[in-house]
Amino acid sequence: MRKQIAAANWKMNLTIQEAVSLTEELISKPRKLSVRQEVVLGVPFPYLTTIKNMLSGTEGIFISAQNCSDRKNGAYTGEVSTEMLQSIGVTHVIIGHSERREYFQENNALLSEKVNRCLQTGLKPIFCCGEPLAVRDSGTEYKYVETQLEEGLFHLDAIQLTGFIIAYEPIWAIGTGKTATSDQAQQMHAFIRKVMSTKYGSIVAESISVLYGGSVKASNAAELFSQLDVDGGLVGGASLVASEFSAIIDNLKK
Ligand code: 13P
């Protein structure tokens, strides 16, 4: 049974003191996650070790970077390699967030290399896809997302994609307070699973966790997560408030 995942993306927010208090508050609440539930914290690079150490002894909570280099190692000033991340206990990496695609010109070719680097190092990519508003308005959002999946992931084999994590984040719903309706989310998630199934077969497609991202809050998580093909969320703003993110975790399918 595929994992149901509540993933936080703190983005470029919080001081270390704030990050520590947020984590303390989050883990202070006793919580029994089921075997199919996972929590992932997408933490800024400088705080990864501190937050990782705070999580020791808590089950089912993993630590993620928000980006990584597409290069293995060497003279690439300012870059962070997957080997570095793996060596400090990071388990996941958010790849291809729309903010990286838009502000840092990351394209599918580069992202497919980043995915490769993660897999070669034993890290789990959280591969993001999703269309801008103009694309949805023109009615071509399914084709757009399909191309992102084809160019970003279709070089992988079925084993590499078994248990994989994809996050669908419609750009028009990110940080705007404008959530996709649960119907819109379900339809796109079902489409993503169909695309993966056509290429890799239904067993692989059914094993992939497809998370929804874009203004997920405590108040809409239950409705979104109840959809058949929505396997949790990738949460920005609401993940910066412990009570909100806790409530979001509580709404994962059991
Ligand atoms: P918001 O939850 O703030 O809309 O951000 C979504 C997101 O980009 C998560 O990666």
Side-chain angles (χ1 to χ4, degrees):
M1 227 185 230
R2 58 180 176 264
K3 298 281 182 195
Q4 303 296 305
I5 302 169
N9 179 6
W10 292 353
K11 307 192 180 183
M12 196 173 74
N13 291 299
L14 309 172
T15 61
I16 184 66
Q17 291 81 7
E18 289 165 342
V20 165
S21 341
L22 173 61
T23 308
E24 269 168 0
E25 210 182 324
L26 206 58
I27 60 180
S28 67
K29 181 181 166 205
R31 174 182 290 112
K32 184 89 193 87
L33 296 170
S34 77
V35 284
R36 70 191 290 224
Q37 295 177 325
E38 277 180 11
V39 175
V40 178
L41 302 182
V43 171
F45 286 134
Y47 310 158
L48 283 166
T49 299
T50 306
I51 304 301
K52 160 80 191 152
N53 290 340
M54 290 179 73
L55 297 180
S56 77
T58 57
E59 254 180 61
I61 310 190
F62 300 88
I63 190 124
S64 175
Q66 300 172 10
N67 183 27
C68 66
S69 177
D70 60 314
R71 310 298 163 94
K72 191 169 186 310
N73 63 333
Y76 301 108
T77 303
E79 288 291 275
V80 175
S81 73
T82 53
E83 272 176 20
M84 293 172 179
L85 296 171
Q86 196 270 342
S87 73
I88 58 167
V90 167
T91 50
H92 295 65
V93 186
I94 299 170
I95 299 288
H97 192 280
S98 60
E99 288 149 15
R100 298 223 51 94
R101 291 175 186 263
E102 184 178 351
Y103 307 135
F104 303 96
Q105 289 75 48
E106 297 195 358
N107 59 26
N108 292 326
L110 175 82
L111 297 173
S112 69
E113 283 304 320
K114 292 191 176 195
V115 168
N116 291 345
R117 291 256 37 90
C118 287
L119 295 176
Q120 280 159 17
T121 326
L123 297 177
K124 280 190 157 233
I126 299 174
F127 183 81
C128 300
C129 58
E131 79 286 357
L133 184 59
V135 168
R136 181 156 282 258
D137 284 346
S138 71
T140 53
E141 66 271 25
Y142 291 98
K143 185 72 217 142
Y144 187 92
V145 168
E146 186 173 18
T147 303
Q148 288 179 320
L149 298 174
E150 282 170 3
E151 295 182 0
L153 301 179
F154 271 24
H155 63 290
L156 301 175
D157 64 30
I159 293 171
Q160 290 171 309
L161 281 162
T162 301
F164 203 83
I165 308 171
I166 294 173
Y168 168 61
E169 300 204 311
I171 298 173
W172 45 271
I174 297 178
T176 57
K178 199 174 160 190
T179 320
T181 63
S182 51
D183 251 15
Q184 285 171 322
Q186 168 57 25
Q187 279 171 31
M188 182 59 87
H189 284 227
F191 174 76
I192 290 169
R193 210 177 297 288
K194 192 184 97 204
V195 169
M196 300 312 283
S197 178
T198 304
K199 169 87 175 160
Y200 293 99
S202 64
I203 294 178
V204 172
E206 287 295 327
S207 77
I208 295 174
S209 300
V210 187
L211 316 186
Y212 169 78
S215 300
V216 176
K217 302 184 272 284
S219 58
N220 59 23
E223 165 77 12
L224 285 162
F225 297 175
S226 69
Q227 301 301 310
L228 188 63
D229 289 292
V230 178
D231 305 312
L234 180 55
V235 186
S239 74
L240 300 171
V241 180
S243 57
E244 276 280 312
F245 191 57
S246 283
I248 290 168
I249 298 170
D250 292 341
N251 280 302
L252 289 172
K253 287 191 197 81
K254 293 281 180 304

